[in-house]
Amino acid sequence: MRIISKYSLTIIPVLALLLAGTFTSCKKYADPPPYFEDDLDTTNLPVSRRVLLIGIDGAVSSEVKAIAPATITGMLNQAKFQWDAVTDEISTDAASWKTLVSGISYSKHQIADSSFTYTPPQGEDTHGGMPPYYPSMFSYILSSANKSNMRTSFISSWPVLVERVVPEVLDPILTTTDQGVKDSAVKRITTGNPEFMVVNFNAPAIAGKTGGFTQANTAYKNAITQTDGYIGEIMAALKARPEYNKREEWLVIIANTHGGIGNSYGGASSNETTGFILYYNEKFDKMEFTKEGTFVGAEMTGAQGAAIRAVMSDPTAYDPGTGPMTFEMKVKGSLSGSYPGFLHKKELVSAASLIAGASGTGFACFSSGSGDVNIQFKAASGTSPNQRKQTGDLRVFDGASWHTISIVFRQDSAGKKWVKFYSDGIYQDGHDVTDWGSFASTAPLTIGWGQFDFPTAFVRYNVADVRAFNVALSGKEIAENLCLTDITKHPKYNNLTGFWPCNDGLGGRFKNYAPGAVDKDFILENSFKWLSVNPFPCTIPGITDPGRRSFLLTNSGIANIAFYWLGVPVNSSWGFEGDKWLTDYENEFIDFR
């Protein structure tokens, strides 16, 4: 028997394409012939960890759950799985697959379309040097000292994906249909020696674009069912391997790459970006993960050019100088240095100009050295252009607990204008600003570092449940709704103009979920990371079901788990997202005797 090299595999479908004269479609490669490899003597081989990853394009998580296809449903009893996972912040094919195979989400790799070329974010300087480059995880396997000869396979009907995104794969296989993908996977498993295989099905995406991403579309439901049947055939072939669950320990991962809404996909809606992920091994106990009861936030930290901050995409938005407003946010963190800024809509200034009162108009929140909150207002005129007020003895940044800060800009019945603020629903201080003039600012509203008395001081903190109302809330309304778990039940919900839970768990922004809010997200800057935070804010109810775990799985975290299973060391410089949560369950699949 002979081994067909990856170069032979590339030539075979290309020759078939040329002979067929099909130059107009990127998905008309001929199905490859079967693989033939030398039989292996496994008598004295150690246990071999292996991975099968199946990515399904266009499978809406909620629809798959409702359809309950036989193979996937049958695997749940021996799986860790999640129906409300996150694929990515956008749902194009290119972004979804780049995220899946690189372990890096779209906010960083910025691959959006099928050219697989970097698209700089709006406003970014495109002449500042080379764009960031994130190779596929297979490139790291090639450079691994102990895994460089691993037999990797990638089976898809999308040539551009195989040729541009995973060129390091040892055995790339291009087909014309999903059936060809399935047949090739079965042949590879039956006659070859795969160690890390990726399989791509796209029939649900095609059916959804034609008639809708819903089971009410018979063609879509049939595509889900047929894909599930293909997975069943692949699993049957896998379990028929002589060393399956003996010297070969297989981790099977099934995930949708994106969903769809209406007759399309590519956007950021929940139907398009909610994922289902299933990690299967016959030794696993059943555990359903859920986003319920989790807080996965991006920590604000650092100072000056390296500061991790969240900056409002519309610099004119949420300006208290334009009328009544209430701004609320929950914070949890600790100080590094004295008088660090953590929330502001005001120009950044030097310490000298700040003290002299020569800085631009606006407002800013900062902390004293004791961890309480100060608010500075700079108006265009008035007797107190640089007013600061402390909240008293309440330590907001205590490093352990969540605290709520509320700032109210209001006008009373006598026509006087006031600024008042509260900590944890308790009134702290206020000031009559009737004669101050305008303190409107052209600077964007920013969560995170701003320069004040000490330019290198900062707060290391998470922020949650950020709210903006176009009315002045009363003290009673503030106190009674601090821990509201359903924002739609707020008595002033119709006046809600901004609502950022800051619990997105993936992507490069805090998304605005207020009704009617458009282009009003906070954009994250610099080297932020999404991490689980405990304890979580009081607005998030916990779960008590022992069969469910509060945790957020993401497609960008699949590479990290695959490498853990394969025993490939992960270098922190690669930037893989997610963590090795599977180590929490090692007692199920590792014999510690």
Side-chain angles (χ1 to χ4, degrees), residues 438-450:
S438 174
F439 46 83
S441 174
T442 58
L445 182 64
T446 300
I447 298 171
W449 177 85

Side-chain angles (χ1 to χ4, degrees), residues 12-259:
I12 289 170
V14 172
L15 287 176
L17 174 62
L18 293 174
L19 291 173
T22 54
F23 291 92
T24 58
S25 172
C26 69
K27 296 193 177 183
K28 291 188 178 180
Y29 282 71
D31 290 352
Y35 280 77
F36 299 97
E37 294 188 356
D38 294 332
D39 293 333
L40 295 177
D41 179 6
T42 61
T43 304
N44 296 311
L45 289 178
V47 170
S48 174
R49 288 279 189 87
R50 303 183 182 218
V51 170
L52 168 62
L53 168 58
I54 300 174
I56 308 173
D57 301 339
V60 178
S61 180
S62 58
E63 296 299 304
V64 175
K65 184 178 181 180
I67 294 168
T71 302
I72 290 175
T73 301
M75 297 173 72
L76 297 182
N77 284 328
Q78 295 166 300
K80 315 298 180 187
F81 62 94
Q82 185 163 2
W83 295 108
D84 59 353
V86 178
T87 57
D88 210 333
E89 62 182 300
I90 66 171
S91 57
T92 65
D93 289 316
S96 300
W97 272 103
K98 182 64 178 179
T99 293
L100 191 65
V101 300
S102 68
I104 304 293
S105 56
Y106 168 75
S107 63
K108 297 176 183 177
H109 65 63
Q110 292 291 311
I111 301 296
D113 61 46
S114 297
S115 68
F116 286 99
T117 55
Y118 174 79
T119 303
Q122 186 176 3
E124 181 178 286
D125 181 7
T126 58
H127 304 289
M130 294 295 292
Y133 174 64
Y134 300 102
S136 83
M137 54 184 165
F138 298 103
S139 67
Y140 299 124
I141 292 175
L142 282 179
S143 61
S144 173
N146 61 333
K147 299 292 182 180
S148 59
N149 62 344
M150 180 180 294
R151 203 76 196 183
T152 56
S153 304
F154 201 105
I155 308 174
S156 175
S157 60
W158 189 7
V160 179
L161 171 63
V162 177
E163 294 163 1
R164 295 192 182 184
V165 183
V166 289
E168 310 90 351
V169 169
L170 192 60
D171 299 321
I173 305 175
L174 294 170
T175 76
T176 58
T177 64
D178 275 8
Q179 181 174 342
V181 169
K182 180 265 296 181
D183 290 342
S184 298
V186 169
K187 291 173 183 177
R188 185 80 182 93
I189 291 169
T190 303
T191 64
N193 187 38
E195 296 175 271
F196 188 2
M197 174 184 288
V198 181
V199 177
N200 168 211
F201 292 117
N202 72 349
I206 295 171
K209 288 176 68 176
T210 301
F213 288 84
T214 170
Q215 61 177 313
N217 171 13
T218 302
Y220 181 76
K221 182 176 181 180
N222 289 343
I224 294 292
T225 303
Q226 185 178 62
T227 300
D228 181 75
Y230 289 159
I231 295 172
E233 292 185 54
I234 292 172
M235 290 301 298
L238 194 69
K239 293 181 179 183
R241 288 179 63 83
E243 297 300 326
Y244 177 81
N245 258 10
K246 297 175 184 175
R247 287 190 169 85
E248 293 178 4
E249 293 186 347
W250 283 88
L251 176 66
V252 179
I253 309 170
I254 303 174
N256 65 331
T257 57
H258 60 76

Side-chain angles (χ1 to χ4, degrees), residues 395-406:
R395 189 182 181 200
V396 172
F397 295 104
D398 57 16
S401 304
W402 287 92
H403 296 281
T404 303
I405 300 166
S406 305

